């Protein structure tokens, strides 16, 4: 019987994993400079958390969650996104009581959604996200957007577009909701079954439909920005002002909505404008949420965050033909001529590795010529050859693979030699 990776998942093999490590390193460094501290939440949570936090009317909850019962009869779900778990932890551990607010959190890890696999979209995928919980300051909105943009810039992406919108507050959403129902109701039979179900439950989500995206009614739908009250309009202007202060270019898209129910006020997406990227251009999405913390049992505090797919980030790099500077170099390969030399090679390799010198040796019983080829194939900077004479002299022949120069170095001085040459 042969086995293959489950549908919608992937193996990240050596050679590719170094790119992931590089991206993750850049992300962690930027989070440190922005002071977003890492939180690690469970890969599964109570199903009700996502139903309440993400929203019953979303595609995630209705179609895409991996849900199961444990032996105690409890309904659990593999996390489809990171915000609900982070907010649950914020409430459970009473982080709202900390003296410094907002609490700024970051996470990176696998998420799970049952959806059709396509370029850059998997059923198990890796998301990086941040949450800033406990502030209604529009400046923090700009900071969160700035962090997302700077991640993409730091890895080398340039073909980017930031799109923003205001979803307003509850008063705005209610007025806009009624206008949307009146707009779509006479022709709702022309739309897909999902949109028909959304009309009464959450008509805003009709605007996010991929199936009916080209329906003429989409272009003429009432825009949220036309319903903004003074408070919401002022807030949106302040967010735009801070983006201007930061020198971040953006476009306002009145039809931009997010697929999760908890968003209000600021919503944004970062897209790839590279010609080679494909039809689904969104790299990152996020926005502000008021009421989510309260919905999962906490106080009435506001938050803002985003999530980005690492898979899609790497695809964007390919589309722009940009490469990551990864370091998988090998410092040293030890060639052992016989069993006695092999014993010494094992000892020396351990010593070198404790000193931070990346070291490899042969475990396949190959002849010297084959071992030298392996050293060259793996890009070793140095090669040490050990044989009977070297053991007698307590000194190794050290070869610089780039210059070809070779000299004898006493065993006790090898570490110093390799670290200073």
């Amino acid at each position: 019987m042969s086995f293959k990776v489950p549908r919608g998942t992937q193996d990240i093999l050596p050679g590719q994993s170094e790119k992931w490590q590089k991206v993750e390193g850049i992300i962690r460094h930027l989070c440190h400079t922005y002071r977003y501290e890492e939180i690690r939440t469970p890969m599964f949570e109570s199903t009700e958390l996502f139903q309440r936090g993400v929203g019953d009317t979303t595609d995630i909850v209705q179609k895409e969650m991996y849900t199961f019962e444990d032996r105690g009869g409890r309904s659990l779900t593999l996390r489809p996104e990171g915000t609900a778990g982070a907010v649950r932890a914020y409430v459970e551990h009473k982080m709202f009581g900390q003296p410094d607010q907002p609490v700024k959190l970051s996470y990176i890890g696998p998420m799970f959604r049952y959806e059709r696999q396509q370029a850059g979209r998997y059923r198990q995928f890796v998301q990086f996200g941040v949450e800033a919980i406990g502030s209604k300051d529009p400046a923090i909105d700009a900071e969160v957007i700035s962090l997302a943009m700077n991640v993409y810039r730091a890895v080398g992406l340039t073909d980017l577009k930031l799109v923003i919108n205001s979803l307003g507050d509850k008063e705005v959403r209610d007025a806009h909701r009624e206008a949307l129902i009146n707009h779509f109701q006479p022709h709702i039979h022309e739309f897909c079954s999902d949109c028909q179900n959304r009309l009464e439950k959450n008509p805003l989500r009709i605007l996010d439909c991929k199936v009916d995206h080209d329906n003429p009614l989409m272009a003429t739908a009432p825009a949220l920005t036309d319903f903004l009250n003074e408070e919401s309009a002022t807030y949106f202007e302040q967010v735009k002002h801070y983006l201007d202060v930061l020198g971040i270019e953006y476009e306002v898209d009145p039809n931009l909505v997010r697929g999760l129910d908890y968003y209000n006020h600021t919503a944004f997406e970062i897209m790839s404008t590279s010609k080679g990227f494909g039809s689904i251009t969104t790299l990152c999405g996020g926005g502000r949420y008021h009421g989510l913390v309260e919905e999962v049992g906490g106080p009435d505090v506001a938050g803002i965050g985003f999530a980005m797919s690492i898979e899609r980030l790497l695809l964007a790099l390919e589309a722009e033909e940009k490469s990551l500077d990864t370091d998988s170099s090998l410092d040293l390969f030890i060639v052992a001529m016989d069993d006695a030399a092999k014993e010494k090679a094992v000892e020396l390799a351990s010593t070198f590795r404790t000193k931070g010198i990346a070291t490899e040796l042969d475990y396949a019983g190959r002849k010297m010529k084959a071992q030298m080829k392996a050293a060259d194939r793996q890009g070793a900077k140095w090669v040490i050859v050990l044989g009977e004479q070297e053991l007698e002299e307590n000194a190794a022949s050290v070869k610089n693979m780039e210059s070809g120069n070779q000299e004898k170095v006493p065993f006790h001085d090898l570490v110093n030699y390799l670290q200073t040459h």
Side-chain angles (χ1 to χ4, degrees):
M1 180 181 291
S2 62
F3 295 93
K4 292 185 178 181
V5 67
R7 182 177 176 82
T9 66
Q10 62 175 331
D11 294 315
I12 301 170
L13 303 177
Q16 186 72 10
S17 61
E18 289 83 356
K19 297 178 183 179
W20 285 73
Q21 292 165 11
K22 180 71 174 183
V23 169
E24 290 166 1
I26 290 170
I27 286 171
R28 294 181 194 283
H29 173 71
L30 279 170
C31 284
H32 173 73
T33 61
Y34 276 77
R35 306 305 297 159
Y36 283 77
E37 298 177 300
E38 184 180 22
I39 184 171
R40 302 189 184 192
T41 60
M43 289 193 191
F44 58 88
E45 301 260 10
S46 165
T47 301
E48 187 180 4
L49 172 67
F50 299 114
Q51 291 171 336
R52 294 171 68 90
V54 177
D56 280 331
T57 65
T58 62
D59 284 348
I60 293 175
V61 170
Q62 291 187 347
K63 301 177 181 179
E64 298 172 0
M65 295 202 310
Y66 282 95
T67 299
F68 60 96
E69 272 195 7
D70 68 5
R71 293 182 180 181
R74 292 171 288 265
S75 181
L76 301 173
T77 296
L78 297 178
R79 61 186 185 193
E81 55 91 54
T83 299
V87 170
R88 189 266 312 147
Y90 173 87
V91 172
E92 181 175 350
H93 299 286
K94 297 182 173 56
M95 300 173 80
F96 48 81
Q98 295 179 3
D100 295 322
Q101 298 289 324
V103 173
K104 303 201 304 188
L105 305 171
S106 68
Y107 57 84
I108 185 167
M111 309 290 167
F112 306 85
R113 295 185 191 177
Y114 188 86
E115 58 182 345
R116 183 171 62 88
Q117 182 178 343
Q118 50 191 305
R121 288 196 171 184
Y122 295 88
R123 293 177 177 178
Q124 176 180 320
F125 56 98
V126 176
Q127 270 190 354
F128 157 60
V130 306
E131 314 293 340
I133 310 173
S135 172
K136 295 181 179 180
D137 189 336
I140 196 74
D141 298 34
E143 177 183 282
V144 165
I145 293 172
S146 169
L147 173 53
M149 291 293 290
N150 281 334
V151 167
Y152 291 124
R153 290 169 178 159
V155 300
L157 291 174
T158 56
D159 298 342
L160 301 169
K161 179 173 73 172
L162 169 64
V163 178
I164 63 173
N165 190 24
S166 174
L167 304 183
D169 56 19
K170 187 178 186 303
E171 175 185 312
V172 173
R173 293 283 288 271
D174 288 345
H176 184 240
R177 179 182 184 278
E178 184 176 349
L180 285 176
I181 292 175
N182 293 334
H183 176 76
F184 287 113
Q185 179 74 63
H187 302 278
I188 195 63
H189 62 277
E190 300 174 9
F191 287 76
C192 69
S193 59
D194 285 340
C195 285
Q196 293 178 30
N197 291 331
R198 291 166 179 161
L199 181 65
E200 295 294 336
K201 295 180 179 178
N202 191 353
L204 184 65
R205 297 239 30 254
I206 295 177
L207 300 177
D208 199 32
C209 180
K210 303 299 186 290
V211 176
D212 296 309
H213 182 267
D214 295 326
N215 189 298
L217 285 176
M218 292 293 202
T220 59
L224 251 170
T225 47
D226 294 337
F227 291 81
L228 294 183
N229 53 28
E230 183 178 354
E231 180 184 349
S232 296
T234 299
Y235 191 94
F236 194 39
E237 288 302 316
Q238 289 177 321
V239 172
K240 291 189 289 183
H241 170 70
Y242 282 115
L243 291 175
D244 292 336
V245 169
L246 294 172
I248 299 175
E249 296 181 359
Y250 57 85
E251 294 180 12
V252 177
D253 180 359
N255 292 321
L256 171 65
V257 298
R258 297 294 302 145
L260 307 180
D261 282 358
Y262 49 62
Y263 286 114
N264 46 34
H265 284 297
T266 308
F268 67 93
E269 289 186 354
I270 300 173
M271 304 175 180
S272 170
T273 58
S274 177
K275 292 181 180 178
F277 189 67
S279 58
I280 302 175
T281 60
T282 302
L283 299 174
C284 168
R288 174 163 284 283
Y289 45 86
H290 296 178
L292 177 59
V293 177
E294 193 174 18
E295 181 70 27
V296 297
D300 182 16
V301 297
I304 182 170
F306 68 75
M308 67 172 63
S309 160
I310 305 301
E311 288 89 348
R312 295 190 68 75
L313 182 154
L314 293 170
L315 276 181
L317 282 170
E318 289 182 16
E320 291 192 26
E321 298 182 345
K322 302 286 179 63
S323 59
L324 288 166
D325 181 21
T326 58
D327 181 17
S328 58
S329 59
L330 176 62
D331 295 323
L332 173 67
F333 194 103
I334 305 176
V335 174
M337 305 288 285
D338 53 32
D339 289 344
K342 175 70 171 294
E343 184 176 315
K344 187 63 178 180
V346 170
E347 177 192 333
L348 288 174
S350 178
T351 299
F352 297 146
R353 288 163 178 164
T354 60
K355 299 300 181 180
I357 300 170
T359 307
E360 186 60 281
L361 60 151
D362 179 65
Y363 293 105
R366 290 174 288 194
K367 301 294 185 183
M368 177 180 175
K369 185 177 180 180
Q371 291 186 53
M372 292 297 293
K373 284 184 177 180
D376 186 58
R377 191 166 52 247
Q378 296 180 41
K381 298 175 185 176
W382 303 89
V383 169
I384 287 178
V385 178
L386 296 178
E388 183 178 350
Q389 183 177 346
E390 285 74 21
L391 295 181
E392 289 178 358
E393 296 175 355
N394 285 316
S397 298
V398 183
K399 180 179 180 179
N400 184 309
M401 294 294 280
E402 183 177 356
S403 67
N405 294 333
Q406 186 169 322
E407 58 183 297
K408 277 283 183 73
V409 179
F411 288 158
H412 65 80
D413 197 37
L414 279 171
V415 170
N416 179 63
Y417 181 88
L418 293 169
Q419 289 179 335
T420 57
H421 283 70

